[in-house]
């Protein structure tokens, strides 16, 4: 759906690299209306994709919560190196804010995705620390689903 939302704002002239590991999700994404934008669909894990420098915007929805701390940093750095200086990064992921139901919901989701998708995570990794370590500035944040989901727009310093 994000491709359609982007096309509503910019209907032409964008070059988008769309990386998705799940075959079914990729098939659904290819059916979306992307207007006259050029989409390069890559059906693979982002850590396996050779990303070249030169991206102005990176969007990572619910990506980093799939990884352990060790692999999080490697994958973050892999994506970070492809973003132009001054580029913008929109990241959306889960977070715990102390509400009792969040821990139960998170443990259930992690268990489900470990069994079905074989994710490696057993807990949420320190995503915010990766952005801080590379001196990203927070431009805007918005929370959803009782503050359990956090979307942050970062700008590279």
């Amino acid at each position: 759906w994000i491709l359609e939302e982007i096309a509503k704002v910019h209907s032409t002239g964008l070059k988008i690299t769309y990386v998705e590991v799940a075959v079914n999700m990729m098939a659904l994404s290819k059916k979306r209306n992307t207007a006259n934008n050029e989409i390069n669909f890559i059906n693979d894990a982002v850590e396996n994709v050779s990303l070249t420098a030169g991206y102005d915007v990176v969007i990572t929805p619910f990506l980093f919560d799939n990884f352990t701390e060790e692999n999080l940093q490697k994958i973050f750095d892999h994506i970070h190196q492809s973003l132009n200086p001054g580029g913008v990064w929109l990241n959306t992921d889960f977070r715990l804010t102390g509400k009792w139901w969040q821990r139960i919901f998170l443990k259930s989701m992690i268990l489900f995705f470990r069994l079905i998708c074989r994710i490696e995570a057993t807990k949420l990794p320190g995503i915010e620390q990766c952005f801080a370590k590379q001196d990203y500035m927070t431009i805007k944040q918005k929370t959803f689903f009782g503050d359990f989901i956090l979307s942050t727009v970062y700008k590279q310093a």
Side-chain angles (χ1 to χ4, degrees):
W1 64 267
I2 194 140
L3 292 172
E4 287 182 350
E5 293 301 314
I6 291 170
K8 288 178 186 176
V9 178
H10 295 282
S11 61
T12 188
L14 296 180
K15 293 181 180 178
I16 298 171
T17 302
Y18 188 90
V19 180
E20 172 59 55
V21 69
V23 174
N24 293 342
M25 291 298 290
M26 180 61 76
L28 291 172
S29 297
K30 286 182 176 181
K31 294 178 182 177
R32 297 293 189 163
N33 178 9
T34 59
N36 293 317
N37 292 309
E38 180 183 325
I39 315 295
N40 177 22
F41 289 100
I42 300 173
N43 191 201
D44 202 347
V46 70
E47 61 269 27
N48 298 334
V49 176
S50 179
L51 298 172
T52 58
Y55 290 94
D56 295 318
V57 178
V58 169
I59 302 172
T60 50
F62 305 102
L63 173 69
F64 295 126
D65 59 353
N66 291 293
F67 302 101
T68 61
E69 288 289 339
E70 178 181 274
N71 287 330
L72 165 68
Q73 190 63 58
K74 290 176 193 173
I75 293 161
F76 181 92
D77 291 344
H78 177 67
I79 298 169
H80 164 76
Q81 58 84 27
S82 71
L83 188 61
N84 283 333
V88 174
W89 191 328
L90 170 61
N91 184 67
T92 300
D93 249 313
F94 298 101
R95 69 176 186 161
L96 296 173
T97 63
K99 295 178 181 171
W100 67 269
W101 59 269
Q102 291 175 344
R103 285 203 183 282
I104 296 167
F105 197 66
L106 178 65
K107 284 185 182 207
S108 299
M109 286 190 326
I110 289 173
L111 178 60
F112 175 80
F113 286 107
R114 282 180 63 84
L115 291 171
I116 302 302
C117 301
R118 295 190 171 105
I119 67 166
E120 62 186 48
T122 57
K123 64 179 183 168
L124 290 179
I127 300 163
E128 295 84 12
Q129 291 84 351
C130 290
F131 286 100
K133 184 177 174 184
Q134 293 292 343
D135 296 324
Y136 280 86
M137 298 177 296
T138 298
I139 304 300
K140 187 171 184 174
Q141 287 187 321
K142 187 166 183 175
T143 62
F144 304 91
F145 195 55
D147 295 333
F148 188 44
I149 297 172
L150 175 66
S151 286
T152 306
V153 178
Y154 296 96
K155 184 168 179 141
Q156 193 177 38

